[in-house]
Amino acid sequence: MQVLQNLINGKFVDVMTSEKLDVPNPATGERLAQVPVSTARDVDEAVVAAEGAFLTWSRIPVVERASYMFRFRDLLESHKEELAELVTKENGKNLDDARGEVRRGLEVVEFACGMPTLMMGQVLTSISRGIDEEMVRYPIGVVAGIVPFNFPFMVPLWLLPIAITTGNTMVLKPSERAPLSAQRIVELLLETGIPDGVVNVVHGTKEVVNRILEHPSIRAVSFVGSAPVAKYVYETAAAHGKRVQALAGAKNYHIVLKDAPLDKVIPVLMSSAFGNAGERCLAGSVVLVENEIADDFVGALQMAIDKLTIGNGLDPKNELGPVIREEHRQRIIGFIEQGVSEGAVLVKDGREAMKDHPGGYFLGATLFDRVNPDMTIVKEEIFGPVLSLMRVNNLEEAISIANRSKYGNTSTLYSESGHSARVFRETIQAGMLGINIGVPAPMAFFPFTGWKGSFYGDLHATGKDGVEFYTDKKVVVTRWLS
Ligand code: NAD
């Protein structure tokens, strides 16, 4: 049985702990590996390594730092099928989704290859007679990344390539529920010949996170995960003087207007709501449909759900894989029960599929109709294959309901009307918008711009925000006297 090791100063090392957690394949329950629960001392060792490496790595020319990313990109590209399989095995999403995840992670590495351009400062000559002014950027020091289970390959790569090509060194804490992809990422990174200590990995749970948040030598923390933990990370790390970006949970509203072509909308919404078993921070989880088309829409959704194939994501015929753990499945079932008790109409009950798929943490697609904005299933993030449908009179009503949400990660409008799309863009309170796009994930060169309770901080992950987050600026005003 593989027991994962931490990566400290370029070497994989055993963790001195008796506490280990199983990492099962959620499709079968079979144990894939064990992950050690590291302690604060392990974090301290990783930080010492990162601090030591920073002294030289930060002074290596940025073109040279970027050259490691070119090699890294080639290695990831040549291992992409193996990596996608690993994502499917540890997370449960189907192979197509896992391939997409690998692609999106690779794109950030490609983005970081351009760091010599991205890190450039600004110059303005003659701000006054004979005086010039320039702004130059520097890496900030040791930074930390704390990541979730749902994109175990992509999310570490939202952070790592930008953090290190800007000249920082890093301590990464993978999700204890899906740590294998992050482990493989750093194995491949070491193959590029990157200097020891530039990236360190500490596996574990709360204790590791708490030490990261308090450690005096860590300058910045990037967190991606659930809303309560994001808030805690933001507040604690900020109280310890750190720069923080904390990407949090979500509840995403999709709006379907009567002019939208139903046959085209259904597959897009199905993939948004039930792809990755609904375990996406950009998953559509509430759909607001104009009254005139609502009955037809529910009928078409029901038919599409009936056709969904459920099973192990390694089999290409399967569309809906398992959720991450039995406890998580039980939590989702709790939400379904609550929806029923609060009076929502259960059109499709995903629990029925469970008996046909023993062994893994499978749950069929669930559809609720006639929900209202005060129901728990509408307000809280379920993070599973559950879609709630609400009937509305028009776009304005839909937007005002969506804007009551405490979250604001993403929202999608289905319509062919430019006017409606403009009203939607101008008034919806969410940071990533789709117009007929079910999962409007920004590309690596754009920021991942959650709003409201979906994000804590100022500078978002990826894009130029990522470069800003991982750099300090100096402004120099110059006058030559002779
Ligand atoms: P999670 O919050 O449980 O875990 C995220 C990280 O925090 C893990 O590394 C975990 O070990 C650590 N952690 C968990 N509980 C902790 C605690 N009490 N104290 C300290 N550290 C703790 O999140 P998850 O379940 O792994 O991931 C799913 C969540 O992440 C969903 O809410 C999803 O919406 C969110 N997410 C958000 C984005 C985004 O961009 N906004 C992207 C991906 C996932």
Side-chain angles (χ1 to χ4, degrees):
M1 176 54 50
Q2 183 193 10
V3 180
L4 297 185
Q5 295 174 301
N6 287 344
L7 174 64
I8 311 280
N9 209 19
K11 312 274 172 311
F12 285 104
V13 295
D14 289 334
V15 180
M16 295 306 147
T17 174
S18 54
E19 205 186 339
K20 298 181 185 76
L21 301 172
D22 286 343
V23 183
N25 177 337
T28 60
E30 165 213 5
R31 190 162 70 172
L32 298 170
Q34 286 193 309
V35 63
V37 179
S38 306
T39 62
R41 206 188 48 216
D42 300 306
V43 176
D44 291 352
E45 280 176 20
V47 175
V48 168
E51 273 187 299
F54 181 74
L55 297 175
T56 42
W57 179 248
S58 57
R59 295 191 189 126
I60 287 176
V62 61
V63 272
E64 214 175 294
R65 293 197 300 256
S67 72
Y68 289 97
M69 288 300 109
F70 283 95
R71 270 173 263 158
F72 188 36
R73 186 224 169 260
D74 288 349
L75 280 162
L76 293 172
E77 184 72 37
S78 60
H79 288 80
K80 65 181 184 207
E81 201 52 26
E82 170 213 320
L83 290 163
E85 271 186 32
L86 189 59
V87 169
T88 295
K89 275 190 189 152
E90 71 168 340
N91 170 278
K93 65 184 70 176
N94 71 34
L95 258 183
D96 265 356
D97 283 333
R99 289 185 184 116
E101 169 169 359
V102 170
R103 182 67 237 140
R104 299 312 295 264
L106 249 157
E107 279 163 14
V108 191
V109 180
E110 289 166 354
F111 172 70
C113 288
M115 199 51 73
T117 311
L118 292 165
M119 249 189 112
M120 276 182 188
Q122 295 169 339
V123 182
L124 183 64
T125 58
S126 300
I127 51 142
S128 185
R129 280 184 181 77
I131 301 183
D132 303 328
E133 188 159 331
E134 64 187 316
M135 183 275 284
V136 282
R137 282 179 202 285
Y138 294 91
I140 56 181
V142 178
V143 301
I146 303 163
V147 293
F149 79 83
N150 67 324
F151 282 91
F153 179 85
M154 179 182 78
V155 172
L157 290 180
W158 278 357
L159 315 175
L160 186 154
I162 303 175
I164 64 173
T165 42
T166 42
N168 304 287
T169 55
M170 187 171 210
V171 176
L172 176 69
K173 196 210 80 68
S175 165
E176 68 278 20
R177 289 189 281 179
L180 299 173
S181 304
Q183 191 81 357
R184 195 68 190 116
I185 286 173
V186 292
E187 281 170 14
L188 292 170
L189 184 63
L190 291 188
E191 284 185 33
T192 66
I194 198 147
D196 293 346
V198 171
V199 174
N200 304 273
V201 173
V202 183
H203 291 288
T205 56
K206 268 186 190 172
E207 184 177 339
V208 170
V209 172
N210 285 334
R211 183 59 185 150
I212 286 173
L213 303 182
E214 291 166 4
H215 199 296
S217 302
I218 294 180
R219 283 280 327 272
V221 175
S222 300
F223 172 88
V224 183
S226 61
V229 186
K231 185 168 185 287
Y232 167 74
V233 164
Y234 179 71
E235 289 172 353
T236 313
H240 286 84
K242 300 184 198 319
R243 193 176 292 183
V244 198
Q245 52 181 197
L247 286 70
K251 191 77 193 175
N252 304 313
Y253 289 70
H254 285 209
I255 302 172
V256 186
L257 300 187
K258 53 181 181 277
D259 70 305
L262 250 188
D263 56 324
K264 303 243 170 55
V265 172
I266 296 288
V268 177
L269 179 63
M270 285 290 293
S271 156
S272 176
F274 303 122
N276 284 25
E279 292 173 330
R280 282 191 195 126
C281 68
L282 298 184
S285 53
V286 178
V287 59
L288 302 134
V289 184
E290 278 192 302
N291 276 317
E292 290 96 311
I293 57 161
D295 285 338
D296 288 347
F297 197 79
V298 171
L301 265 178
Q302 259 179 288
M303 274 165 48
I305 289 174
D306 285 339
K307 285 190 200 137
L308 265 184
T309 46
I310 301 174
N312 191 329
L314 287 178
D315 182 339
K317 78 169 189 309
N318 290 328
E319 294 159 298
L320 180 56
V323 298
I324 190 74
R325 291 284 186 278
E326 179 57 30
E327 305 86 77
H328 188 53
R329 177 162 74 165
Q330 290 307 324
R331 186 172 178 273
I332 300 167
I333 289 172
F335 277 114
I336 297 174
E337 287 164 355
Q338 196 157 2
V340 173
S341 73
E342 289 180 4
V345 177
L346 186 56
V347 178
K348 278 277 153 204
D349 184 352
R351 292 171 296 184
E352 285 166 9
M354 283 165 56
K355 60 180 179 328
D356 302 326
H357 301 279
Y361 319 127
F362 292 96
L363 188 60
T366 294
L367 177 64
F368 279 110
D369 190 7
R370 298 187 183 276
V371 301
N372 70 53
D374 297 319
M375 290 178 177
T376 310
I377 52 169
V378 174
K379 291 195 287 198
E380 299 303 326
E381 180 179 50
I382 299 174
F383 221 55
V386 179
L387 179 64
S388 300
L389 188 141
M390 208 182 300
R391 294 158 184 248
V392 291
N393 290 314
N394 51 39
L395 174 63
E396 286 68 25
E397 187 190 358
I399 290 174
S400 82
I401 290 169
N403 284 350
R404 285 168 61 177
S405 176
K406 61 184 169 191
Y407 296 114
N409 222 27
T410 175
S411 186
T412 288
L413 177 75
Y414 300 92
S415 172
E416 290 295 284
S417 155
H419 172 71
S420 300
R422 189 166 193 283
V423 169
F424 172 74
R425 187 192 68 199
E426 297 297 303
T427 54
I428 194 87
Q429 289 165 15
M432 290 170 273
L433 306 185
I435 310 288
N436 301 310
I437 299 285
V439 183
M443 299 284 284
F445 26 89
F446 284 100
F448 208 86
T449 47
W451 276 29
K452 302 203 282 187
S454 294
F455 178 72
Y456 293 87
D458 305 296
L459 294 164
H460 295 268
T462 73
K464 288 183 192 155
D465 268 27
V467 179
E468 290 277 336
F469 183 80
Y470 291 121
T471 51
D472 271 337
K473 297 188 267 286
K474 279 182 187 168
V475 170
V476 185
V477 187
T478 306
R479 171 166 58 196
W480 299 107
L481 298 175
S482 51

